[in-house]
Amino acid sequence: MAKTSSGRYFEDFRIGDVIRHAVPRTVTTGDVALYTALYGSRFAVQSSDAFARAVGYAQSPVDDLLVFHVVFGKTVPDISLNAVANLGYAEGRFLKAVYPGDTLTATSEVIGLKENSSRRTGVVYVRSTGWRQDGEKVLDYVRWVMVNKRDEAAKPHTELVPELKTSLDPADLGAACPPIDVAAWDFGLAGAPYRFDDYAVGEKIDHVDGMTVQEAEHQLATRLYQNTARVHFNQFLQVRTRIGRRLIYGGHVISLARGLSYNGLANVFHIAGINSGAHVSPLFAADTVFAWSEVLDRAALPGRDDVGALRLRLVATKDRTCEEHPLRVGHDYEPGVILDLDYWALVPR
């Protein structure tokens, strides 16, 4: 009997399958330092124990997206080892703060399947959950991914495209954020004076800076998250595909864009929820990433007067600056747009 695994193909999934993913991962300050080295994130709460303690955290929490990447990476060997591309996200909620020393595990439930018209691939929908060592949920989200079939003639046992929320209810946000002492929030050290009331619905912000991705960076990042998807690593196989190159992990793009967004959103310190997200087109090594944001909505959180929630659209582009806020031409995305992410984030009031 073979002792190695070639991963699941599309026809191997069943709606209702619950998968317990292997290899617990203890997050350390080393992971935090590497995350900063890769993306240049500068948000004060995640950068300084002293700042974080002053405003109400036990210590500086692990960056929300680093938590997402670690949990996501756990799911890859069982969900997307044979993926063509990760397509999108919805209903993501950050439920508990994670600190260095916490150990994360993950489970996933298959909630949808849809064969593609080519018959060579299909889309798998899963709801994945990240767990802390004490049994507390720290994160859950839905994602859908295009997966190769082993046998083109194979049919899915059942097909279903799940109905997903277009936006999370603000009342469901904020569980991972302790009460914030706004009087102790040093806006000078945080890097900008802007609070919740300084942002207006419809406002668009060009984050100005760009970051060129190197081959070594995205390879290191994806290994850091123990993401084993072949499309990110195996040039021997990828050169035989239509694209012909290794794809940069979509989460790498999200973190690059989030890091760039500090310039304009310096006090927007915590991602509370992901409403939806689409990887519009691939990113490759030597491409330069730019980003811009639009304020889609503002909301008070029930029972809290310390922070408010901004619903933000974060758009990333490659080799295209964002002073004109590129997004769509008609129903199609403009050339150069690589990410369209809709999320809720918290900011002091």
Side-chain angles (χ1 to χ4, degrees), residues 81-280:
L81 191 64
N82 295 302
V84 178
N86 197 55
L87 300 178
Y89 314 95
E91 297 185 6
R93 298 180 302 152
F94 293 84
L95 301 168
K96 294 288 182 182
V98 173
Y99 298 101
D102 283 340
T103 297
L104 303 180
T105 56
T107 58
S108 294
E109 179 183 0
V110 180
I111 62 171
L113 296 169
K114 184 71 171 69
E115 186 180 37
N116 287 329
S117 58
S118 69
R119 308 301 183 195
R120 295 191 296 270
T121 60
V123 179
V124 181
Y125 297 80
V126 296
R127 184 180 300 277
S128 296
T129 302
W131 304 85
R132 207 167 56 190
Q133 69 277 358
D134 57 3
E136 292 279 0
K137 291 182 182 181
V138 299
L139 167 70
D140 64 18
Y141 64 93
V142 173
R143 72 160 167 142
W144 48 103
V145 57
M146 188 187 303
V147 179
N148 283 309
K149 293 173 72 176
R150 181 188 294 107
D151 176 5
E152 291 186 18
K155 289 286 189 182
H157 288 252
T158 308
E159 289 191 281
L160 171 69
V161 176
E163 293 186 12
L164 300 171
K165 297 177 182 177
T166 58
S167 176
L168 295 167
D169 188 329
D172 295 331
L173 304 175
C177 178
I180 296 298
D181 183 355
V182 180
W185 189 283
D186 189 324
F187 288 87
L189 288 179
Y194 306 114
R195 302 171 182 248
F196 177 70
D197 287 333
D198 294 315
Y199 292 93
V201 174
E203 181 179 358
K204 296 180 179 180
I205 303 166
D206 173 15
H207 299 303
V208 180
D209 307 305
M211 194 176 296
T212 302
V213 182
Q214 301 298 334
E215 196 78 72
E217 294 168 349
H218 83 90
Q219 294 284 287
L220 175 64
T222 315
R223 291 190 185 101
L224 178 66
Y225 316 133
Q226 298 174 325
N227 180 335
T228 57
R230 296 185 176 101
V231 294
H232 305 316
F233 292 119
N234 195 328
Q235 183 64 16
F236 179 78
L237 291 179
Q238 281 301 104
V239 77
R240 291 160 173 76
T241 67
R242 177 179 58 84
I243 295 175
R245 301 175 63 184
R246 286 174 290 187
L247 299 178
I248 290 176
Y249 163 50
H252 196 72
V253 179
I254 296 174
S255 282
L256 285 169
R258 169 67 174 164
L260 293 170
S261 76
Y262 172 86
N263 191 355
L265 297 173
N267 292 306
V268 181
F269 68 99
H270 168 53
I271 297 176
I274 295 173
N275 297 308
S276 63
H279 294 295
V280 176

Side-chain angles (χ1 to χ4, degrees), residues 47 57 67 74 166 239 264 281 315 349:
S47 296
Y57 284 87
V67 175
K74 299 294 94 192
T166 58
V239 77
S281 63
V315 178
R349 300 191 69 166

Side-chain angles (χ1 to χ4, degrees), residues 31-85:
D31 294 305
V32 173
L34 277 172
Y35 186 88
T36 303
L38 288 164
Y39 306 115
S41 181
R42 293 182 284 163
F43 296 95
V45 167
Q46 288 79 15
S47 296
S48 165
D49 280 342
F51 191 103
R53 289 190 183 108
V55 301
Y57 284 87
Q59 65 184 95
S60 185
V62 174
D63 192 285
D64 305 302
L65 290 178
L66 177 52
V67 175
F68 174 82
H69 294 319
V70 171
V71 172
F72 185 104
K74 299 294 94 192
T75 72
V76 168
D78 299 307
I79 305 298
S80 49
L81 191 64
N82 295 302
V84 178

